[in-house]
Amino acid sequence: MQTYVVPELVAELAATGRPVVLFGAGDLGVLAHYALTRLGVRVTCFSDGRRVKHGQTLRGLEIRAPEHLAGLPSDTCVFLCGNYLATMTARLRGMGFTDLHDCVGLLDGFDFGGSDTGMDLVFIERKVALHKRECLKAKEAGDDLLILKYLDVVVTEACSMKCQDCSNLMQYYAKPRHSDLDLLESAVDRIMAAIDGIYEFRVLGGEPFVNTRVHRVITKLTGYEQVDKVVIYTNATIVPRGDNLECLKHDKVVVEITNYGRHSRKHDELLETLQANGVVHLTKIPVWTDSGRIKYVERSAAELDDMFRNCCVNDVLTLLNGKLYRCPFSANGTNLGAIPEDSADVVDLTGDRAGAELRADLQRLYGRSTHLRACAFCNGRDYRTPRIEPAIQVRRPLPLV
Ligand code: SF4
Ligand code: SF4
């Protein structure tokens, strides 16, 4: 059992009343506010780079634009409540703030039972664990460890819905195929032998339960010792039965349901089934950015690097048809033939690449900090990308231009 110990910093803040800013007005910010308030620390305000948030209030506090923090003393304590750590840190240091902290010490092990954050405990645990993983990444790179945060394992190109703006580009597949599971398993075996660990496998499609043999993949992935979680992403149109249900009864498995309202026509039945079978799950109403269109736009290298650095999926390695890509857009755009394949942006596992050679390839792909060829075809996925209505359905696949 984990015992929560109040970090020294928090005790000091409670005693002195030094100003405290939560930089990031999203889920982590809400969790940090709840924890600090419970620990007797008065938070001054939230701050966020997203324009849409400026001037709004969150948990009774103002959300200020970063430039409006200028009046605060330079010893203000700032908690980085997000995963754009390098960008956030550089920005705050540039403004003269020196007392910057991630939220790991504050949130890891904190008891959120009965909290008023509106988030369920499974969701909170994952949020905090992913933040911790992000914070550990820089240290691990220095120690020559190769621990991946996520690996998306695509089990099918097919989906039971056809969302016009799917950021995984399912709307462009005219003849979707299920993945070759022998190739998939061989590729994952070699990846796992070449790395030191992974926090989370994410099993997805399309809709993973469209592939009736998805249980084979889930069972394989939960069997690796070096993985913490195996998360299955579903749109709640199919209720798994038989082997596809049995494989979910594993302590590493979390089923993450995206609730698209009337489109998620089996939502309630799926919830009942998962509950009745003791499967850990959570359900979320999605917020979408306009990131589901393949369109080449002429941009400078500096603009593309900026897009890449700020992108919220720039470290979601994606395994699709035996090739490993740096993000889902790059994976599907290249797989569709709409984006030219660039050998620097992919690790090809369709052959017999393995061992030290493969580890070097993975380090190169996971460690890169400059844009992918795909970024030129993408609208970006960051706090500046416009929000859109989720899950507008189309009847036919969209043409690849
Ligand atoms: S966004 Fe829509 S089309 Fe894309 S995988 Fe999810 S449900 Fe399927
Ligand atoms: S192509 Fe670039 S900007 Fe688009 S999702 Fe991938 S990393 Fe992000």
Side-chain angles (χ1 to χ4, degrees):
M1 193 178 109
Q2 194 167 18
T3 308
Y4 184 78
V5 180
V6 177
E8 274 176 27
L9 170 71
V10 172
E12 183 261 311
L13 292 171
T16 62
R18 201 150 57 88
V20 174
V21 172
L22 301 180
F23 199 74
D27 294 333
L28 275 176
V30 169
L31 294 173
H33 181 263
Y34 175 79
L36 286 168
T37 308
R38 279 263 313 271
L39 294 166
V41 175
R42 197 183 146 272
V43 176
T44 312
C45 65
F46 286 94
S47 181
D48 201 295
R50 290 167 282 193
R51 273 208 201 98
V52 290
K53 301 243 176 191
H54 300 162
Q56 293 185 19
T57 55
L58 180 63
R59 297 178 68 80
L61 292 175
E62 181 192 358
I63 305 174
R64 296 189 198 170
E67 54 273 25
H68 291 163
L69 298 177
L72 290 169
S74 61
D75 74 339
T76 296
C77 176
V78 185
F79 284 95
L80 304 175
C81 307
N83 290 330
Y84 301 110
L85 294 168
T87 320
M88 286 170 147
T89 303
R91 185 163 193 185
L92 287 159
R93 288 209 190 288
M95 293 167 65
F97 292 108
T98 52
D99 193 26
L100 312 179
H101 304 270
D102 61 52
C103 293
V104 177
L106 173 67
L107 301 182
D108 194 23
F110 191 86
D111 179 7
F112 284 96
S115 83
D116 63 352
T117 59
M119 300 174 219
D120 77 29
L121 290 175
V122 177
F123 179 83
I124 292 173
E125 188 207 334
R126 286 194 61 224
K127 273 273 157 201
V128 175
L130 288 170
H131 180 60
K132 190 173 171 182
R133 176 106 307 282
E134 188 64 29
C135 297
L136 284 172
K137 208 161 118 188
K139 181 180 176 306
E140 287 160 357
D143 293 345
D144 197 31
L145 285 173
L146 183 53
I147 301 178
L148 308 181
K149 188 165 137 193
Y150 307 111
L151 177 56
D152 275 13
V153 178
V154 181
V155 295
T156 180
E157 299 164 351
C159 192
S160 47
M161 288 169 58
K162 202 162 285 301
C163 304
Q164 164 186 283
D165 303 296
C166 172
S167 56
N168 280 7
L169 307 178
M170 294 302 127
Q171 67 280 35
Y172 289 105
Y173 281 97
K175 291 188 179 155
R177 296 167 304 160
H178 293 334
S179 301
D180 172 338
L181 298 191
D182 293 331
L183 173 60
L184 186 156
E185 290 182 1
S186 154
V188 180
D189 273 342
R190 283 175 284 144
I191 292 170
M192 293 307 281
I195 65 174
D196 301 300
I198 178 167
Y199 172 65
E200 184 171 294
F201 281 120
R202 311 184 346 157
V203 178
L204 70 174
E207 165 54 46
F209 292 121
V210 166
N211 186 338
T212 53
R213 294 193 302 154
V214 66
H215 60 89
R216 191 175 136 187
V217 178
I218 296 169
T219 303
K220 172 90 182 162
L221 299 180
T222 50
Y224 291 109
E225 265 182 30
Q226 317 101 297
V227 65
D228 285 10
K229 291 268 180 257
V230 177
V231 182
I232 326 298
Y233 283 83
T234 177
N235 61 19
T237 53
I238 297 170
V239 179
R241 308 275 181 217
D243 289 341
N244 280 352
L245 179 57
E246 284 304 308
C247 69
L248 304 178
K249 300 175 189 172
H250 191 288
D251 58 6
K252 288 185 182 172
V253 166
V254 177
V255 175
E256 181 158 332
I257 304 166
T258 312
N259 183 356
Y260 293 112
R262 67 192 165 85
H263 300 300
S264 298
R265 51 189 184 278
K266 299 275 176 68
H267 182 267
D268 294 352
E269 193 185 331
L270 176 60
L271 271 190
E272 272 171 35
T273 302
L274 297 177
Q275 267 155 12
N277 287 277
V279 177
V280 177
H281 60 278
L282 58 99
T283 178
K284 277 167 71 173
I285 294 176
V287 176
W288 277 17
T289 55
D290 187 5
S291 309
R293 199 68 69 238
I294 308 172
K295 188 173 172 217
Y296 181 81
V297 176
E298 195 72 43
R299 301 181 182 100
S300 69
E303 285 173 307
L304 291 166
D305 284 347
D306 181 65
M307 265 174 84
F308 177 80
R309 268 196 302 274
N310 283 296
C311 177
C312 66
V313 290
N314 71 9
D315 57 358
V316 181
L317 292 181
T318 301
L319 181 66
L320 174 56
N321 292 335
K323 294 187 178 177
L324 189 69
Y325 303 85
R326 179 64 191 253
C327 81
F329 188 93
S330 170
N332 286 290
T334 310
N335 186 51
L336 282 157
I339 297 172
E341 184 167 316
D342 186 327
S343 59
D345 293 356
V346 60
V347 176
D348 190 344
L349 290 139
T350 56
D352 54 7
R353 204 133 183 98
E357 271 183 346
L358 177 57
R359 183 178 173 93
D361 287 346
L362 295 171
Q363 271 167 327
R364 171 185 54 75
L365 185 67
Y366 196 52
R368 72 181 281 166
S369 56
T370 51
H371 68 272
L372 311 169
R373 166 87 58 113
C375 298
F377 294 80
C378 177
N379 200 26
R381 263 180 99 167
D382 62 50
Y383 58 91
R384 300 163 295 197
T385 318
R387 295 266 168 93
I388 53 169
E389 184 185 335
I392 296 171
Q393 298 298 292
V394 286
R395 281 171 182 270
R396 295 179 203 290
L398 298 190
L400 283 166
V401 180

